[in-house]
Amino acid sequence: MKSNLSNRVRGRVLAHALLAGCALSPLTIASAHARPDAATPVGAPRAPGAITGTVSQAGSGEYLDGASVSIPALDLSTVVDRTGRFSLVGVPAGTHELVIRYVGFPDARRTVTVADSQVTLDVAMTTEVGAGAGEGPRSSSPARARSRNPKPQHSRSSVPAPRSSRSSPRISIGRLPDQNVAQAVSRLPGVGVQRDQGQARYITLRGAPINWTTLSIDGINVVSPEGRDARFDSIPSAIASQIIVRKAVTPDMTGETIAGNVDIITRSAFDYPGMKVQAKGGLGHVELGKKTEYEGSLVVSDRIDTGIGEFGIVSSASLYRRGMVTDNFETDFEAVKEDKRPGYQTRNWARETENKLYRLTRKNYSLSTRLDWRPASGHKLFAETIYSAFQDDEQRNNYIFDLDDQQSRAPTGSAACNVNARPASGTTGYADICTGNTPLLGTVYGVDLNANFTVRKYKQSVFTNTVGGDHELGEWKVAWRGNFTRSIDDRTQPAQLNYESPSFTNATNRLTVGYDLTDPQLAKVQLFRTIRNADGTFSRGAHVTAIEDFPTSLTRLRSLKAQDVTEAYTAKLDISREASLFGAQTVFTAGVRYDDRTKTANEDLLDINSAAQFAAAGISTNYSAIAKPGGFQGEIPLGYTFQYFDRDKVLGLVDQAKSVASYQPVDANFYEVGERVYSAYAMATTTTNWGSIVGGARVEHIRNDARAFSIDAATSVATPVEAKSNQTLVYPSLHLNWDVNDRMKARLSFNTGAARPDYDQLRPNLTYNDANLTVSGGNPDAKPEKAKGVDAYVEYYTMPRGFLSIGAYYKDVTNVLFDSVQTFGSTILNSGNTDRSQYQFSTVLNGGKGYIMGIEGAIQQQLDRSPPISACRTGWAASASSSTRRSTRAARIRPARAISRRGRCRCPVHRTRSTI
């Protein structure tokens, strides 16, 4: 069944928001031209003088985003924005010394004389200690922009995009082999990644579950193709200007953030001083499997000054492709009820052990374009479109040695026994210590071989489109955004073929498996012929190396078309105003936001599984019909040889199957979950001479409506099911920041958040089986996991190029979601004379309480006077770039309970903006 909710009003709300934003634009532009004195301060009178300008790097002209500009004698300061600009207003007439600081550069000092008008100062910083590079001040028109105090607001770290200068102090995304966002972010302290086939995929912050980390692009939360578990391998790092990781949750962030947020800041033409062309290419050889990988990216940007303002346009494209051969082993253990001999309480037997042998090609690619327009000072409009995708073309040979195939035949005696290598008549030796077998070492006789051969063609894509504007209206600042995002998780599996051994009655054509699981790094198997003795017992026959020597027959052929589509509409408006509160500078910020998301999952399956169907379609049931000559391309010691399958031959069998069967919708896996979130927040940032305070609260009202089917497993009859729910949540937070001195800062944060259940968990589908007395399905009544947390950090900066930070965190969690089996307890599935309320129900439920806690730290220190390029967690790292050579050393403390696995040295970022 394919469906879309027809009664949704998402488009109407978004259209109203966008019309309001567009209507605001000409009004704000007119206001900007009509009010040159728009920067008149609130509260105490402020001096009329102003200093504005840019901060860049000498030689390259690249902007130094985040540099601080201050007049220490007046306690006035601000920071440079991503376009290189800064503004200090309220500067009294006279001569003043400005101090400009940026990590990796010596302090730059400039003397400026201010009268009653604006002075422009452009500073070009250099890495040479004592150098006086930079342009002097020059007169200009009165300033409109207000000064900003750079006191940090919340903990965050950022990974900058590549810069052209050889002496850049940043770790640049483009200069490191980071093909996706997860790999780039993994270089920050307190960040772990989960990998698939060696490639970074999920991000976990501070050891928390992956669904506690949210993903956003330019401040707009994006629903991953998989749902709440944000996948970052579908987003190439090439689209990013910066990647900012926020770990402390503030009211202007969505309430579904618990561990933190990863915000991808895309490129703008105003990030560069003029025309910019940047290209990158790479080629590599993968030794395992003798495969090739290559990558390339191109960024073109330019700025055009016209009579109606300045325009900027930037476009980028990227591609990363690699061929791979990977292999693994997996072993599943179980407690066996038939094993009752002494010591059974501590024995868990290997139910099965298997090998998955992959040949695959993976691609990451993206296209993006952004148009910016500055019609007047203090006003900017933009439109942006981004398409990014991750594609996985995979062929998998999967051999499963079904050790517990005849578990029901295992002896059930409970007395101690003497060891006899030959198992009892009619048994296989599984879970039988009387044969000398142990859970990790032994032999089982006449068991089944499940051989599965799969062709998969996965593709995950994100298509996001945003329009917005930022406006300064005197004392007010207004920002508005409208966004439409379509995320697609295409799980198509063109073919899966299942082959099995003959039945147990023909055990001599089955495998005898010698297993050795004593090495946790390698499960070893040896394959033998099976001998049936005259008394019905089994013995081990000749050793067999080629697994195809054991006869198997095709038992099932399937082809799956599966696609999950998430459409999300977002409209948001943020307003801020600076004022004086109890004599302290305070910025009041408030905003509203509307999110409308719908996820629809559809599956269609072609399935044939009988000898009659195979014969009618002319499909051979022997593996030789699809085998491909050639040896094993991997390196794991298998204990046997095999032949890969030919992809084209397998897909040819699927085409033959279409002559006797067709694709049918899988109603049991269909669901459609809609989510509407109405949110508002208010917060205040108060700056004092000792630090700052950030506090406020966010309110979210959430409405869910969902549709699916209840399925009778015996008859496959599908009955529509609908469910609705709503709730209101409040998220307060408070952040205290103490400037101990110029180089040391202490931070204390109290915050709240909630991780809402994923869409597939909220589905209302139910499948019941009267034979087994079971029900399974989703839970539309599942509640969010709620968290209350506290963070405490101390940071110390060593000039010019080092920092040390250490901190601790604790989060208390309620309504923890977990998989459960319990009594169904509902009569909604009762029909006729059948009461299903007492069936065993498998679903996801909210449980009790839990917590996560840990410590994290980072240290970075430049060991020579040249600028850093990379640092590794252990040992030394050196790298050369043109005429400069740099080396650093760094160490970090990883968070407690971290769930990432790292197999190589990690490099921290050399520009870490902690802005609690």
Short mmCIF file of all heavy atoms in Angstrom, two decimals, residues 861-864 866-870 876-879 885-889:
data_model
loop_
_atom_site.label_atom_id
_atom_site.label_comp_id
_atom_site.label_asym_id
_atom_site.label_seq_id
_atom_site.Cartn_x
_atom_site.Cartn_y
_atom_site.Cartn_z
N GLN A 861 49.12 21.64 22.40
CA GLN A 861 50.20 22.60 22.59
C GLN A 861 51.13 22.56 21.40
O GLN A 861 51.61 21.48 21.02
CB GLN A 861 50.99 22.30 23.87
CG GLN A 861 52.12 23.27 24.13
CD GLN A 861 51.62 24.71 24.29
OE1 GLN A 861 50.74 24.95 25.11
NE2 GLN A 861 52.15 25.63 23.50
N GLN A 862 51.38 23.70 20.80
CA GLN A 862 52.32 23.79 19.70
C GLN A 862 53.73 23.68 20.24
O GLN A 862 54.09 24.34 21.22
CB GLN A 862 52.11 25.11 18.97
CG GLN A 862 53.01 25.30 17.78
CD GLN A 862 52.67 24.33 16.67
OE1 GLN A 862 51.59 23.77 16.66
NE2 GLN A 862 53.59 24.12 15.76
N LEU A 863 54.54 22.84 19.61
CA LEU A 863 55.89 22.59 20.10
C LEU A 863 56.95 23.41 19.41
O LEU A 863 58.10 23.38 19.79
CB LEU A 863 56.22 21.10 19.97
CG LEU A 863 55.29 20.17 20.76
CD1 LEU A 863 55.74 18.73 20.61
CD2 LEU A 863 55.24 20.56 22.23
N ASP A 864 56.60 24.09 18.32
CA ASP A 864 57.55 25.01 17.71
C ASP A 864 56.79 26.27 17.32
O ASP A 864 55.61 26.40 17.56
CB ASP A 864 58.29 24.37 16.53
CG ASP A 864 57.32 23.91 15.44
OD1 ASP A 864 56.25 24.52 15.30
OD2 ASP A 864 57.65 22.95 14.74
N SER A 866 56.16 27.44 14.35
CA SER A 866 55.42 27.42 13.10
C SER A 866 54.01 26.94 13.36
O SER A 866 53.76 26.23 14.31
CB SER A 866 56.11 26.52 12.08
OG SER A 866 56.25 25.21 12.60
N PRO A 867 53.05 27.31 12.53
CA PRO A 867 51.66 27.00 12.79
C PRO A 867 51.36 25.52 12.67
O PRO A 867 51.98 24.82 11.89
CB PRO A 867 50.90 27.80 11.72
CG PRO A 867 51.90 28.02 10.65
CD PRO A 867 53.22 28.11 11.30
N PRO A 868 50.41 25.01 13.47
CA PRO A 868 50.12 23.58 13.49
C PRO A 868 49.28 23.16 12.30
O PRO A 868 48.54 23.94 11.74
CB PRO A 868 49.32 23.42 14.78
CG PRO A 868 48.65 24.74 14.95
CD PRO A 868 49.60 25.75 14.42
N ILE A 869 49.42 21.88 11.95
CA ILE A 869 48.52 21.35 10.92
C ILE A 869 47.79 20.11 11.40
O ILE A 869 46.69 19.84 10.99
CB ILE A 869 49.29 21.04 9.63
CG1 ILE A 869 48.30 20.73 8.49
CG2 ILE A 869 50.26 19.89 9.80
CD1 ILE A 869 48.93 20.64 7.15
N SER A 870 48.39 19.30 12.25
CA SER A 870 47.67 18.12 12.72
C SER A 870 48.24 17.68 14.05
O SER A 870 49.33 18.03 14.44
CB SER A 870 47.78 16.98 11.70
OG SER A 870 49.12 16.59 11.58
N TRP A 876 53.61 11.20 17.73
CA TRP A 876 53.91 12.45 17.04
C TRP A 876 53.31 12.41 15.64
O TRP A 876 53.15 11.37 15.05
CB TRP A 876 55.42 12.64 16.94
CG TRP A 876 56.08 12.76 18.26
CD1 TRP A 876 56.50 11.76 19.06
CD2 TRP A 876 56.37 13.97 18.94
NE1 TRP A 876 57.05 12.26 20.22
CE2 TRP A 876 56.99 13.61 20.16
CE3 TRP A 876 56.19 15.33 18.65
CZ2 TRP A 876 57.42 14.55 21.09
CZ3 TRP A 876 56.62 16.26 19.57
CH2 TRP A 876 57.23 15.88 20.77
N ALA A 877 53.02 13.58 15.12
CA ALA A 877 52.56 13.67 13.74
C ALA A 877 53.23 14.85 13.08
O ALA A 877 53.36 15.91 13.67
CB ALA A 877 51.04 13.86 13.67
N ALA A 878 53.69 14.69 11.88
CA ALA A 878 54.33 15.78 11.15
C ALA A 878 53.77 15.84 9.75
O ALA A 878 53.44 14.83 9.16
CB ALA A 878 55.84 15.59 11.10
N SER A 879 53.67 17.03 9.21
CA SER A 879 53.15 17.19 7.86
C SER A 879 53.79 18.41 7.23
O SER A 879 54.12 19.37 7.91
CB SER A 879 51.62 17.33 7.89
OG SER A 879 51.13 17.55 6.60
N ARG A 885 56.73 23.62 7.64
CA ARG A 885 56.66 22.28 8.21
C ARG A 885 56.25 22.43 9.66
O ARG A 885 56.77 23.25 10.39
CB ARG A 885 58.00 21.57 8.08
CG ARG A 885 57.92 20.11 8.48
CD ARG A 885 59.09 19.31 7.93
NE ARG A 885 58.89 17.90 8.12
CZ ARG A 885 58.24 17.12 7.28
NH1 ARG A 885 57.73 17.64 6.19
NH2 ARG A 885 58.08 15.84 7.53
N ARG A 886 55.31 21.57 10.09
CA ARG A 886 54.78 21.76 11.44
C ARG A 886 54.57 20.41 12.11
O ARG A 886 54.34 19.41 11.46
CB ARG A 886 53.47 22.50 11.40
CG ARG A 886 53.17 22.90 10.03
CD ARG A 886 52.17 23.06 9.31
NE ARG A 886 52.36 23.61 7.98
CZ ARG A 886 51.52 24.45 7.50
NH1 ARG A 886 50.57 24.91 8.25
NH2 ARG A 886 51.64 24.86 6.29
N SER A 887 54.62 20.42 13.42
CA SER A 887 54.35 19.18 14.16
C SER A 887 53.75 19.54 15.50
O SER A 887 54.03 20.57 16.08
CB SER A 887 55.63 18.37 14.36
OG SER A 887 56.54 19.09 15.16
N THR A 888 52.88 18.69 15.97
CA THR A 888 52.24 18.92 17.25
C THR A 888 52.06 17.60 17.97
O THR A 888 52.14 16.53 17.38
CB THR A 888 50.86 19.57 17.08
OG1 THR A 888 50.05 18.70 16.31
CG2 THR A 888 50.95 20.93 16.41
N ARG A 889 51.73 17.74 19.21
CA ARG A 889 51.41 16.56 20.01
C ARG A 889 50.18 16.89 20.83
O ARG A 889 50.07 17.98 21.36
CB ARG A 889 52.58 16.20 20.93
CG ARG A 889 52.36 14.87 21.66
CD ARG A 889 53.56 14.54 22.52
NE ARG A 889 53.47 13.21 23.07
CZ ARG A 889 54.38 12.68 23.88
NH1 ARG A 889 55.45 13.39 24.21
NH2 ARG A 889 54.23 11.47 24.34
#
